[in-house]
Amino acid sequence: MIYIILSICCSVTVAILLKLAKRYQISIIQAVTVNYLAALTLCFLFFKPEIKLVIHSAPWPIYIALAVLLPSIFLFLAASVKNLGIVKTDIAQRLSLFIPILAAYFIFKEDFNDYKIIGLAIGFVAIILTFLRKSDQKEGKGNLLYPIMVFVGFGVIDVLFKQIALYKELPYTTSLFTVFCLSFIVSLLIVITMVISGKIKLQLVNVVCGLILGLFNFGNILFYMKAHKALAENPSTVFAAMNLGVIIVGTLIGVIAFKEKLSKLNYAGIVLAIAAVIFITLSQNAVR
């Protein structure tokens, strides 16, 4: 369980860092770029990817799609944390698991049991309640675009990563390293374009923040993979503990540390989100 706890801590820490970015005037795109440089370096050191295999046999369309989506969704994640807070952003990210589940049904023709159907129904209600807001709040409705993009983006990314995991020609860790490399290149091109156009200036503080972000981002992945390896016979335990842990810890930090305002309906949505994850986890056990 120590790996699950460490993975939860790393995941929530990424959200906290993005929340603090506004306070310290961090350039998110610069930090994200350095984040991928740090992540691919750590990936190379820890996983020893078989780079030669990538040249001859690799699902390049999936790699390229992920290389574009990952930096883009990181920016939406940062915008969502900035405008709506850690609590709602974490819920949107965790409930994005519905997209790969729906993909499994409609694309991969997987059978659904009662638990999964109930989980999806509860999750749909949870999404609505979590993001309901009072009409007198200052933030505009347009800000809801950010968590929606987080929800959709992470869901699509999850589907693509699952396809990579099923690809037998390459080790998963080699694919992960390749995706990080391509994501770094895409992010770097965006930064260069913005610097040339005068929209941003390169600053050392963004490099430092990016290195810290990359460390925790990679830590989240590393400990999550180690948890699955340590609990190979109980993957649903890892799945449930990780998702529930992030929702609960993220909520506590958002409300206590950052004084994020939530209505009673929002709290009801959080409870239903936890219930949805539990039912989906039960559905995995039922299949087994």
Side-chain angles (χ1 to χ4, degrees):
M1 290 298 290
I2 185 65
Y3 291 132
I4 296 175
I5 294 171
L6 289 172
S7 184
I8 291 170
C9 290
C10 287
S11 180
V12 175
T13 300
V14 168
I16 293 172
L17 290 172
L18 293 175
K19 180 78 173 179
L20 294 173
K22 178 184 178 182
R23 182 179 301 176
Y24 296 101
Q25 298 181 328
I26 302 296
S27 169
I28 296 298
I29 185 59
Q30 291 183 54
V32 167
T33 302
V34 178
N35 150 77
Y36 284 119
L37 178 61
L40 71 88
T41 302
L42 291 169
C43 190
F44 181 80
L45 294 174
F46 277 87
F47 298 143
K48 309 296 182 186
E50 301 176 41
I51 302 173
K52 291 182 180 179
L53 295 177
V54 176
I55 300 173
H56 302 291
S57 57
W60 287 106
I62 297 177
Y63 286 172
I64 293 171
L66 282 169
V68 174
L69 279 172
L70 283 172
S72 302
I73 205 62
F74 227 128
L75 297 178
F76 280 111
L77 184 69
S80 182
V81 170
K82 174 183 174 182
N83 288 278
L84 290 178
I86 293 174
V87 178
K88 295 183 178 182
T89 301
D90 275 341
I91 300 262
Q93 185 178 347
R94 294 299 146 185
L95 289 182
S96 67
L97 62 92
F98 293 158
I99 292 178
I101 289 173
L102 292 174
Y105 180 77
F106 289 107
I107 299 175
F108 304 110
K109 307 302 180 183
E110 179 183 314
D111 292 331
F112 273 27
N113 55 38
D114 292 340
Y115 287 121
K116 191 165 288 187
I117 293 171
I118 293 171
L120 288 171
I122 293 175
F124 180 74
V125 178
I127 292 171
I128 295 174
L129 293 179
T130 301
F131 298 113
L132 277 179
R133 305 160 70 185
K134 295 178 181 179
S135 58
D136 60 348
Q137 285 184 299
K138 293 181 180 179
E139 297 92 338
K141 293 181 180 179
N143 286 338
L144 289 177
L145 171 67
Y146 303 129
I148 290 172
M149 290 303 296
V150 169
F151 173 80
V152 174
F154 273 102
V156 173
I157 286 169
D158 195 15
V159 172
L160 294 176
F161 269 123
K162 277 181 170 56
Q163 288 183 301
I164 287 178
L166 295 173
Y167 190 74
K168 303 301 181 182
E169 302 296 323
L170 283 172
Y172 181 75
T173 50
T174 299
S175 292
L176 189 64
F177 172 78
T178 307
V179 169
F180 280 152
C181 286
L182 294 174
S183 298
F184 170 67
I185 293 171
V186 171
S187 297
L188 185 61
L189 289 174
I190 295 173
V191 169
I192 291 172
T193 302
M194 294 181 75
V195 170
I196 292 175
S197 63
K199 292 183 179 179
I200 60 173
K201 292 182 180 180
L202 296 177
Q203 294 178 304
L204 182 61
V205 65
N206 298 317
V207 175
V208 175
C209 183
L211 289 173
I212 298 172
L213 192 65
L215 177 65
F216 284 103
N217 195 22
F218 177 78
N220 177 30
I221 296 169
L222 176 65
F223 294 126
Y224 188 65
M225 292 177 69
K226 282 185 175 291
H228 270 296
K229 187 175 181 179
L231 298 170
E233 296 181 359
N234 296 288
S236 58
T237 300
V238 179
F239 173 84
M242 182 65 190
N243 284 281
L244 294 175
V246 169
I247 291 174
I248 293 169
V249 175
T251 299
L252 290 174
I253 291 177
V255 172
I256 297 173
F258 293 100
K259 310 299 181 185
E260 293 179 6
K261 303 294 183 182
L262 298 176
S263 66
K264 291 181 180 179
L265 288 177
N266 294 154
Y267 281 113
I270 292 170
V271 172
L272 287 178
I274 293 172
V277 172
I278 292 172
F279 271 102
I280 290 171
T281 303
L282 290 173
S283 76
Q284 292 184 328
N285 288 330
V287 169
R288 296 175 198 282

